[in-house]
Amino acid sequence: MKSIIITGGAGFIGSHVVRLFVNKYPEYRIINVDKLTYAGNLANLKDIEEKPNYRFVKADICDFDTMYTLMQEEHVTGIIHLAAESHVDRSIKDPFTFARTNVMGTLSLLQAAKLYWEAQPEKYEGKRFYHISTDEVYGALEMTHPDGIEPPFSTLASSEHHEAYGEDFFVETTKYNPHSPYSASKASSDHFVRAFHDTYGMPTIVTNCSNNYGPYQFPEKLIPLFINNIRHRKPLPVYGKGENVRDWLYVEDHARAIDLIFHQGTIAETYNIGGFNEWKNIDIIKVVINTVDRLLGREEGEDMNLITYVTDRAGHDMRYAIDSRKLQAELGWEPSLQFEEGIEKTVRWYLDHQEWMDNITSGEYEKYYDDMYGKR
Ligand code: NAD
Ligand code: TYD
């Protein structure tokens, strides 16, 4: 039997990974370790919280003693590490919290796993420490628009897309060049994970994924924030000229990649995860406005006037774009959803789960968990 700690399971991506593992592997024991920061919300896991193979532990990954004791108690054989501070704008205001959780928290988990696994007779055999990271560690790409290629770039199929753009993508060997406190902290944590493999032989894997979208994303991030603002006819703050490019992947496709890589990925390897789906912010915003309007029975495009250009984010990376051909070729992963389908599903989900959204925006969800688990 596998006993797996998933950290950050009450967050956006973590909740999808926990749900997938709990449902798909009833024979595994899944332990969700989450501190329940402002971004953690157990309502994301309501449908699986009673499953017999699931346990929730409210804990801080920086708390080495608790991590070590939990690994001993649960005979942990695998760790899938997603817990992090994840929002770039917050990292600009409060870099210390990012260094603490993303760097020291990762180190605390690594060291606990090292001491626990090295004390076992079989040592690292059958063990795995899988660290989830971001494409933002690679820095920013130039905006290269070959002749005749106009946005939205998503209309191009992946291989054509790649041919059109040549090598101007993040590949697994792209040199790290982080610009924000968030990406600097994630880069640092990636280095620590690789150092634990190289120094102690820990069986580690690192993946770097592009921007995720889908249900249960905290509404400080572009897509859920804008869906909610359009619904309530509130301004949509577009940073700078809205020309920055992000590469969007549906969150369940990321979770499927994590499952595949956890089970079949090669130790010490890095895999980039992305769906060749680049969009300029302003283009994606227009798609979101049209979709929300249509699904709410408004005239499509009626809410374009909510677009409000605001001061640019400091150090705003121009373009992210992932080359995921290694993962596709070696493990046969590919994204399941076309972007148009994914965004329609996503908008529909947020509109159908207004209570989930209202609980967050009103702060109700925090009060509920404060009562259950003590003040955050
Ligand atoms: P999120 O902010 O939605 O969730 C983070 C979770 O971690 C929350 O539940 C929070 O309570 C928990 N957490 C924070 N600090 C903790 C601590 N000290 N101890 C224990 N738990 C703690 O983040 P997300 O968007 O789901 O991202 C998850 C991971 O995936 C992160 O490591 C992030 O860097 C990475 N990632 C995210 C994206 C994206 O587009 N969202 C893309 C690529 C990689
Ligand atoms: P975000 O969802 O914060 O993800 P990341 O910064 O990790 O890529 O932002 C996505 C893009 O949208 C990014 O280029 C910043 C931009 N953005 C806005 O223009 N306005 C907003 O209110 C937010 C939150 C983001």
Side-chain angles (χ1 to χ4, degrees):
M1 190 191 86
K2 282 194 164 60
S3 175
I4 302 169
I5 285 182
I6 299 180
T7 69
F12 166 47
I13 303 171
S15 64
H16 288 274
V17 176
V18 166
R19 175 176 297 102
L20 177 66
F21 273 69
V22 165
N23 286 331
K24 186 169 172 188
Y25 303 108
E27 72 280 19
Y28 291 5
R29 182 154 170 79
I30 303 300
I31 305 122
N32 172 12
V33 173
D34 198 296
K35 185 184 174 186
L36 297 181
T37 67
Y38 79 93
N41 184 356
L42 288 179
N44 298 357
L45 291 165
K46 271 258 161 296
D47 53 323
I48 57 112
E49 67 187 5
E50 301 294 335
K51 297 271 176 153
N53 62 336
Y54 172 70
R55 176 181 173 197
F56 172 68
V57 177
K58 182 182 185 301
D60 187 334
I61 55 165
C62 298
D63 179 351
F64 169 83
D65 291 342
T66 303
M67 292 304 110
Y68 181 72
T69 309
L70 185 63
M71 287 177 200
Q72 276 187 318
E73 185 186 311
E74 291 284 1
H75 306 287
V76 166
T77 51
I79 295 165
I80 304 178
H81 175 35
L82 295 106
E85 289 292 336
S86 68
H87 190 42
V88 174
D89 294 332
R90 284 180 190 257
S91 81
I92 293 168
K93 293 201 182 89
D94 174 21
F96 276 111
T97 307
F98 282 69
R100 182 185 177 276
T101 285
N102 299 1
V103 185
M104 292 305 288
T106 301
L107 182 55
S108 144
L109 271 180
L110 283 164
Q111 183 69 359
K114 172 182 180 289
L115 293 186
Y116 171 58
W117 287 339
E118 284 188 351
Q120 304 306 300
E122 73 287 359
K123 306 215 179 284
Y124 287 127
E125 211 184 300
K127 311 296 194 308
R128 190 155 285 206
F129 189 108
Y130 178 3
H131 177 62
I132 309 298
S133 192
T134 166
D135 59 357
E136 303 193 22
V137 298
Y138 296 124
L141 295 165
E142 294 297 316
M143 289 289 287
T144 46
H145 288 178
D147 288 345
I149 307 287
E150 289 296 325
F153 311 125
S154 62
T155 49
L156 300 169
S158 61
S159 58
E160 285 169 59
H161 190 138
H162 200 273
E163 274 160 31
Y165 279 88
E167 292 309 310
D168 202 11
F169 280 80
F170 296 137
V171 292
E172 286 79 358
T173 50
T174 300
K175 205 162 165 257
Y176 275 30
N177 186 19
H179 300 298
S180 72
Y182 164 64
S183 53
S185 67
K186 290 296 290 188
S188 172
S189 64
D190 296 9
H191 290 318
F192 268 110
V193 173
R194 295 193 179 103
F196 267 64
H197 171 268
D198 297 349
T199 308
Y200 309 113
M202 184 179 280
T204 60
I205 294 190
V206 177
T207 56
N208 299 84
C209 187
S210 60
N211 283 60
N212 285 213
Y213 70 99
Y216 300 113
Q217 188 167 29
F218 195 83
E220 63 187 352
K221 306 280 168 65
L222 180 77
I223 292 183
L225 174 73
F226 277 32
I227 294 172
N228 197 42
N229 283 10
I230 299 163
R231 183 185 183 120
H232 296 292
R233 296 218 152 104
K234 293 200 322 214
L236 308 175
V238 180
Y239 299 162
K241 293 184 181 151
E243 295 203 326
N244 303 64
V245 169
R246 296 292 181 267
D247 186 357
W248 295 92
L249 182 69
Y250 192 67
V251 62
E252 287 179 5
D253 281 330
H254 188 189
R256 277 194 310 107
I258 290 172
D259 175 20
L260 185 66
I261 293 164
F262 179 75
H263 289 97
Q264 293 176 36
T266 304
I267 298 298
E269 285 294 327
T270 297
Y271 299 90
N272 278 354
I273 310 173
F276 291 100
N277 181 40
E278 290 177 63
W279 287 77
K280 275 191 185 180
N281 289 343
I282 193 64
D283 293 321
I284 214 171
I285 289 163
K286 287 177 182 163
V287 171
V288 172
I289 294 173
N290 283 332
T291 312
V292 175
D293 281 347
R294 179 165 44 79
L295 293 179
L296 286 179
R298 300 176 186 169
E299 198 180 318
E300 259 191 47
E302 189 180 327
D303 287 309
M304 289 293 171
N305 61 347
L306 296 175
I307 292 176
T308 309
Y309 291 95
V310 298
T311 309
D312 207 354
R313 172 187 279 172
H316 197 173
D317 284 337
M318 196 61 216
R319 171 175 168 244
Y320 301 144
I322 277 280
D323 180 343
S324 58
R325 286 180 303 168
K326 173 176 168 179
L327 175 61
Q328 303 198 359
E330 288 185 15
L331 299 182
W333 173 88
E334 54 180 46
S336 67
L337 279 185
Q338 288 296 315
F339 185 66
E340 287 68 15
E341 210 183 323
I343 204 76
E344 171 101 13
K345 253 178 105 158
T346 301
V347 171
R348 209 179 273 284
W349 188 89
Y350 285 100
L351 297 180
D352 287 348
H353 292 79
Q354 195 55 39
E355 202 187 336
W356 179 90
M357 181 66 86
D358 291 344
N359 266 332
I360 293 177
T361 51
S362 68
E364 256 328 291
Y365 79 114
E366 296 201 277
K367 286 188 204 125
Y368 174 66
Y369 294 111
D370 287 350
D371 290 347
M372 268 173 80
Y373 295 104
K375 202 115 197 87
R376 291 178 200 229

